[in-house]
Amino acid sequence: MDEIEIDDELPQHSRRAARAHDPHHRQKSKRASAHVIAELLEHDDKTGAVAMGAGSGFNPSFGASRHERRWIIDALGGFHETNQIVDVVAQVKGGKEATVYCCSAHPSTSVEYLAAKVYRPRMFRNLKNDAAYREGSGPVDEQGKQLLRMRPLRAVAKKTNFGQAVLHGSWLFNEYRTMTALYEAGALVPKPYAFAENAILMEYMGEPFAPAPTLDQVSLPEAEAQPIFDALIESVRIMLANNRVHGDLSAYNVLYWEGQVRIIDFPQAVDPLYNPSAYQFFMRDIKRLCQYFARYGIRPQAAELADQLWATCMPGDANDIQRELLARANLNR
Ligand SMILES: Nc1ncnc2c1ncn2[C@@H]1O[C@H](COP(=O)(O)OP(=O)(O)O)[C@@H](O)[C@H]1O
Ligand SMILES: [Mg+2]
């Protein structure tokens, strides 16, 4: 099997920015956090936002602990109130940053089940806690310092409670907004239905007590490997053409169900026209996909494939884009 080298290193300026992020300033602020969604919606008129609900009349049958049950009711009560889900039937997976539940869907949705991804409370999270991803939110100067334009992002820079809450809220919002754009563009992602303060509701892959495995957990039938690889690369191309780079793509973030695949887990997705590390993230995404498919004898030159895709979708090569970002940053001074 070909060894594929994966460069997990981040550029110098990103590491500098990561160090600058001071965890001591992280504080709980639920009220401010509710504010976040309102603020973010001001900048993006995507509908689908569901207000925090007290969850009245919501009595999920999933036998969680008392603590988890409270958490489920708080996070998903709004989806119940707005007639999107009727019940929570099982936990699919409890991850580091989020827990995914299988919910039975309200008849108005015309599907049987929906997946609810509930983000952990912020103090328990370390969500791809890397300033390199954050840089996608706006232009940067020569030192890689972000030039912040939106009020919420300026608040982040000032490390106010409100700013920290924006950071919290925007991972989720970034995931929902990215999924919506990519689904509409025809990429293989679960259909997003709605989001709330701490949760995203989306198409469920699998059956209630048999959720779809991730690619790393399956051995693909020989005849399926090449078509699935091609379909994933086409989805990655669609993403790039829509100015999105996944940033954490690998066999662990692709669901496989009955010959179909769906790419998941987008909170860290970045815009290549704003994020100076996007090309490196993109290259790493392609290399990791290729690394997985090598076991089926599919061995394209990963770096060349990434370059080709980049050249097809981006207005210039990675260096040109970097220059463009710096030029814009100067204009914004
Ligand atoms: N739409 C979905 N349908 C079925 N299972 C899902 C769905 N989305 C996520 N999962 C399951 O939940 C797990 C965690 O979701 P993911 O979005 O990758 O979050 P994270 O890895 O950050 O915890 C996935 O590996 C998968 O097993
Ligand atoms: Mg994941």
Side-chain angles (χ1 to χ4, degrees):
M1 193 193 295
D2 291 342
E3 271 289 303
I4 294 169
E5 238 184 54
I6 292 181
D7 178 13
D8 276 347
E9 282 292 299
L10 294 167
Q12 270 299 335
H13 67 261
S14 305
R15 283 204 291 274
R16 223 173 14 241
R19 272 198 304 276
H21 181 76
D22 181 354
H24 296 298
H25 288 271
R26 290 186 211 156
Q27 283 178 32
K28 243 196 323 192
S29 176
K30 207 167 182 183
R31 207 151 27 114
S33 192
H35 228 106
V36 171
I37 298 295
E39 280 274 351
L40 289 166
L41 286 172
E42 245 179 61
H43 295 277
D44 194 308
D45 59 3
K46 288 269 174 238
T47 49
V50 170
M52 274 193 301
S56 52
F58 182 38
N59 186 22
S61 61
F62 171 62
S65 68
R66 203 144 57 110
H67 171 74
E68 187 180 2
R69 191 175 172 77
R70 187 68 249 159
W71 190 51
I72 290 175
I73 291 173
D74 279 352
L76 305 181
F79 298 142
H80 182 261
E81 278 173 28
T82 51
N83 287 338
Q84 282 161 307
I85 62 169
V86 292
D87 196 9
V88 178
V89 293
Q91 188 193 100
V92 176
K93 197 157 173 190
K96 277 199 313 271
E97 321 293 0
T99 301
V100 174
Y101 296 94
C102 173
C103 307
S104 44
H106 190 273
S108 64
T109 62
S110 13
V111 290
E112 227 178 322
Y113 298 100
L114 286 168
K117 177 173 179 176
V118 183
Y119 278 56
R120 282 183 171 279
R122 183 155 37 90
M123 61 277 196
F124 297 131
R125 272 193 273 152
N126 182 30
L127 207 154
K128 287 102 193 175
N129 193 7
D130 195 320
Y133 290 107
R134 292 274 113 210
E135 287 174 35
S137 309
V140 291
D141 68 11
E142 320 71 301
Q143 277 88 47
K145 213 176 90 201
Q146 199 165 4
L147 297 172
L148 302 164
R149 291 176 308 175
M150 289 183 351
R151 187 172 93 73
L153 293 170
R154 276 198 297 273
V156 169
K158 288 182 195 153
K159 298 194 169 159
T160 57
N161 284 354
F162 172 59
Q164 290 299 308
V166 168
L167 204 58
H168 168 195
S170 61
W171 286 113
L172 179 146
F173 190 69
N174 190 41
E175 175 158 42
Y176 182 78
R177 184 172 48 181
T178 298
M179 289 182 76
T180 305
L182 297 183
Y183 179 78
E184 282 168 5
L188 295 171
V189 304
K191 178 179 178 182
Y193 279 76
F195 75 95
E197 189 199 4
N198 237 11
I200 291 177
L201 198 61
M202 67 181 103
E203 178 185 357
Y204 179 75
M205 300 289 290
E207 280 169 13
F209 295 96
T214 48
L215 266 191
D216 65 291
Q217 296 171 318
V218 294
S219 191
L220 294 175
E222 211 176 303
E224 284 185 15
Q226 185 71 50
I228 285 181
F229 177 75
D230 294 344
L232 288 172
I233 293 295
E234 172 59 8
S235 272
V236 169
R237 188 197 64 73
I238 293 173
M239 288 182 202
L240 197 56
N242 285 274
N243 297 328
R244 294 321 267 169
V245 168
H246 187 291
D248 191 23
L249 188 56
S250 73
Y252 298 97
N253 279 328
V254 178
L255 298 178
Y256 173 84
W257 187 249
E258 294 175 342
Q260 295 286 316
V261 281
R262 294 287 181 275
I263 300 172
I264 56 166
D265 209 0
F266 290 92
Q268 70 293 313
V270 297
D271 183 339
L273 297 180
Y274 282 106
N275 187 303
S277 308
Y279 177 77
Q280 278 156 290
F281 292 143
F282 182 71
M283 182 62 78
R284 190 178 62 184
D285 284 354
I286 296 285
K287 284 182 174 176
R288 284 180 174 165
L289 267 192
C290 290
Q291 190 177 44
Y292 172 78
F293 281 91
R295 75 189 60 174
Y296 302 105
I298 299 167
R299 295 192 176 94
Q301 295 298 315
E304 280 170 27
L305 177 59
D307 278 338
Q308 262 169 29
L309 289 165
W310 189 276
T312 319
C313 300
M314 289 288 110
D317 72 15
N319 289 333
D320 290 344
I321 290 183
Q322 178 77 61
R323 269 195 296 276
E324 166 74 17
L325 288 175
L326 294 177
R328 275 194 219 170
N330 287 331
L331 271 181
N332 280 337
R333 269 180 208 284

